[in-house]
Amino acid sequence: MAATFLFAEESLPDGFKKIRFGMSVDQVKEELKKDPAFGFRGDRDVSLLPGENRVLIETDTSRTAPYSFLERCWFQFYEDKLYTITINMKKKKMDHYSIYTTLTEKYGNPDFLNPEKSEWKDDSVIMSLERPLTLKYTDRKIFDDLQSKAMVKKTAEEQSKQDFLDLL
């Protein structure tokens, strides 16, 4: 019997539904208003994050869209451009296995896998499925740029852990 290998035909998505990386806050708000499954309530769901040029839209479907597969969603912006989408799914309506199976069928095996997270990457997108049931889309170029600007050093505990692992 010959082994069959599935090769992903699709590139990683640059957003979720009609919401895409690079959209402005106003463009994302308009798309959220059009799709009741997000539970968007308007400007009261929009807030400013600490730091320069950072806006966050947080939606909650518990009251406005109980039928939705989505539970809570976060849309993070930098310099008025969307670069991160985080979607928590309702565990009573969806399961990790179904999402993981669908993602591997569409995009191939993850580039990184551990019990807590599966992650797919390409040059422009990082997509991860995290336990218990969170799907994240990140614009890799903006994320990498923000990471390099932060240049956060490891804490003593993180460095100690890494030193130990290096001995193995």
Side-chain angles (χ1 to χ4, degrees):
M1 178 183 247
T4 305
F5 296 96
L6 293 176
F7 294 98
E9 295 290 327
E10 297 184 40
S11 58
L12 294 177
D14 66 343
F16 181 72
K17 291 191 169 195
K18 292 185 177 183
I19 299 170
R20 298 282 169 249
F21 296 142
M23 292 175 79
S24 70
V25 173
D26 289 336
Q27 288 172 317
V28 171
K29 287 193 300 189
E30 284 304 310
E31 288 303 324
L32 291 172
K33 287 176 190 174
K34 293 177 191 175
D35 190 341
F38 285 105
F40 182 64
R41 300 171 304 158
D43 283 337
R44 64 182 157 193
D45 290 342
V46 181
S47 58
L48 294 172
L49 294 173
E52 192 176 314
N53 297 316
R54 298 205 184 186
V55 173
L56 179 74
I57 297 175
E58 178 181 359
T59 66
D60 181 354
T61 65
S62 60
R63 291 190 179 119
T64 56
Y67 57 85
S68 178
F69 288 99
L70 311 177
E71 186 172 51
R72 294 182 81 114
C73 302
W74 293 269
F75 303 87
Q76 193 168 347
F77 300 80
Y78 180 70
E79 296 181 347
D80 197 40
K81 300 234 182 293
L82 178 65
Y83 82 98
T84 301
I85 301 169
T86 304
I87 300 164
N88 283 350
M89 259 79 63
K90 292 180 180 171
K91 293 181 249 358
K92 291 182 180 180
K93 293 184 164 272
M94 188 55 64
D95 63 279
H96 187 274
Y97 179 77
S98 295
I99 293 174
Y100 177 82
T101 302
T102 300
L103 294 176
T104 56
E105 287 173 359
K106 287 179 88 170
Y107 308 112
N109 290 328
D111 298 297
F112 173 82
L113 178 65
N114 72 23
E116 300 300 316
K117 176 167 79 168
S118 307
E119 189 173 82
W120 293 260
K121 292 181 180 183
D122 65 20
D123 290 340
S124 56
V125 176
I126 302 169
M127 181 178 65
S128 62
L129 175 61
E130 301 173 7
R131 291 197 183 267
L133 203 49
T134 300
L135 188 57
K136 272 187 178 174
Y137 301 87
T138 304
D139 182 315
R140 188 172 184 174
K141 292 175 184 170
I142 293 176
F143 179 76
D144 288 346
D145 186 46
L146 290 172
Q147 289 289 95
S148 69
K149 286 179 183 176
M151 287 194 247
V152 177
K153 292 186 177 182
K154 290 184 179 181
T155 65
E157 183 178 348
E158 290 171 329
Q159 186 60 51
S160 176
K161 179 180 177 181
Q162 187 59 53
D163 291 345
F164 173 79
L165 291 172
D166 289 343
L167 295 172
L168 300 178

